[in-house]
């Protein structure tokens, strides 16, 4: 390959303005820098991102398809609100999917994979910011994704990672107003212990309990917080 061809190839791999706008906006929504219910307009976003309206419009369309934004003709966009039903529905599906994954992973994960999973179970987040929320949420997602991968069913893994991604915004909403370390670490350690026994039923029960604890804790904190954007 000539230098000219390589240069063309490198440019083709560079993110487009649409990709950049999409990534920036998506991170702001996921981390609640743009809070649920926030109104968004193309023109002000284009000005803030120093871009033309075309890549911003395309990025907004992608985020709308993902369900992170709602589009209103001739009015603009709004960050999709989070409701109690949304949280309950998401965790209901996660409980079912991850229960199956844990049951399979109990007999299919290697000892080395379980060692790696145990290391992830000790990640903590404190409101003293010893571990930033973004890093804690990422570590939590890696823990659950590792179990899904350990089930050795790629389609199940894909479904679970999709729901983990959807939960990221919810975790940001909750972790900023409460210390989630005790419930998360204790539950994760219990899940790893169940997986090490190679008892599928015990693993399913442990992850189901964790899912319910997370759902209940998240809802309790958000409902009690006067500044929360959660819709009932």
């Amino acid at each position: 390959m000539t230098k000219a061809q390589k240069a063309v190839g490198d440019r083709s791999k560079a993110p487009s303005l649409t990709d950049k706008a999409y990534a920036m906006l998506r991170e702001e929504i996921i981390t609640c820098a743009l809070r649920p219910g926030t109104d968004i307009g193309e023109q002000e976003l284009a000005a803030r991102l120093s871009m033309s309206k075309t890549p911003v419009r395309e990025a907004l369309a992608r985020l709308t398809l993902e369900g992170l934004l709602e589009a209103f003709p001739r009015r603009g966009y709004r960050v999709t609100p989070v409701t109690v039903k949304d949280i309950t529905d998401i965790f209901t599906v996660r409980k079912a999917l991850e229960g199956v994954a844990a049951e399979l992973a109990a007999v299919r994960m290697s000892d080395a994979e379980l060692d790696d999973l145990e290391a992830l179970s000790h990640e903590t987040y404190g409101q003293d910011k010893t571990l930033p929320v973004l890093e804690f949420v990422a570590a939590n997602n890696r823990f659950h994704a590792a179990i899904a991968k350990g089930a050795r069913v790629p389609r199940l893994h894909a479904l679970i990672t999709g729901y983990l991604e959807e939960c990221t915004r919810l975790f940001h909403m909750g972790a900023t107003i409460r210390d989630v370390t005790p419930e998360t670490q204790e539950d994760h350690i219990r899940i790893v212990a169940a997986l090490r026994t190679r008892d599928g039923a015990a693993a399913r029960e442990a992850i189901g309990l964790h899912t319910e604890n997370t759902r209940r804790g998240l809802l309790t904190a958000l409902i009690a917080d006067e500044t929360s954007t959660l819709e009932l």
Side-chain angles (χ1 to χ4, degrees):
M1 178 184 294
T2 67
K3 289 183 179 181
Q5 289 173 323
K6 185 177 187 299
V8 170
D10 289 343
R11 284 197 298 271
S12 68
K13 295 176 183 177
S16 66
L17 286 177
T18 296
D19 291 335
K20 290 179 180 179
Y22 166 81
M24 293 170 66
L25 290 171
R26 192 174 191 282
E27 182 175 357
E28 289 185 357
I29 293 171
I30 290 295
T31 61
C32 296
L34 284 173
R35 291 163 64 83
T38 300
D39 291 326
I40 298 176
E42 287 181 13
Q43 188 168 342
E44 61 263 35
L45 270 177
R48 181 161 71 85
L49 300 179
S50 300
M51 296 179 182
S52 68
K53 291 204 297 185
T54 298
V56 170
R57 183 181 303 120
E58 292 172 350
L60 290 169
R62 286 171 62 180
L63 291 165
T64 301
L65 287 174
E66 289 185 13
L68 292 173
L69 291 177
E70 295 176 326
F72 298 93
R74 295 179 298 280
R75 284 176 48 196
Y77 298 81
R78 179 176 67 167
V79 178
T80 304
V82 175
T83 68
V84 171
K85 187 177 187 301
D86 290 332
I87 293 176
T88 298
D89 287 352
I90 288 170
F91 279 95
T92 296
V93 177
R94 276 193 57 184
K95 184 176 181 179
L97 293 175
E98 293 195 68
V100 173
E103 188 168 357
L104 293 171
V107 295
R108 295 179 179 180
M109 287 185 80
S110 68
D111 289 339
E113 287 174 316
L114 288 173
D115 290 341
D116 291 340
L117 190 67
E118 185 167 5
L120 283 173
S121 74
H122 292 292
E123 293 281 8
T124 60
Y125 163 72
Q127 289 183 317
D128 60 355
K129 307 304 180 188
T130 50
L131 182 67
V133 176
L134 191 63
E135 293 179 25
F136 173 78
V137 172
N140 178 75
N141 286 353
R142 288 196 299 272
F143 178 89
H144 287 272
I147 296 172
K149 184 178 180 181
R152 305 291 191 263
V153 181
R155 291 186 180 183
L156 181 59
H157 175 255
L159 285 170
I160 290 172
T161 52
Y163 276 96
L164 288 172
E165 183 72 16
E166 191 170 356
C167 280
T168 298
R169 182 164 65 134
L170 307 182
F171 289 149
H172 274 279
M173 291 171 65
T176 54
I177 59 176
R178 66 191 180 110
D179 183 356
V180 298
T181 294
E183 69 186 51
T184 302
Q185 191 172 50
E186 183 178 337
D187 284 357
H188 282 189
I189 291 171
R190 185 186 301 112
I191 292 167
V192 175
L195 289 168
R196 285 197 184 279
T197 67
R198 304 300 183 179
D199 184 336
R204 177 193 281 268
E205 182 179 356
I207 207 161
L209 176 62
H210 172 51
T211 304
E212 182 58 25
N213 286 343
T214 303
R215 183 194 68 82
R216 189 186 304 115
L218 181 61
L219 280 175
T220 299
L222 291 175
I223 290 172
D225 181 28
E226 294 182 355
T227 66
S228 169
T229 53
L230 180 71
E231 295 189 3
L232 302 179

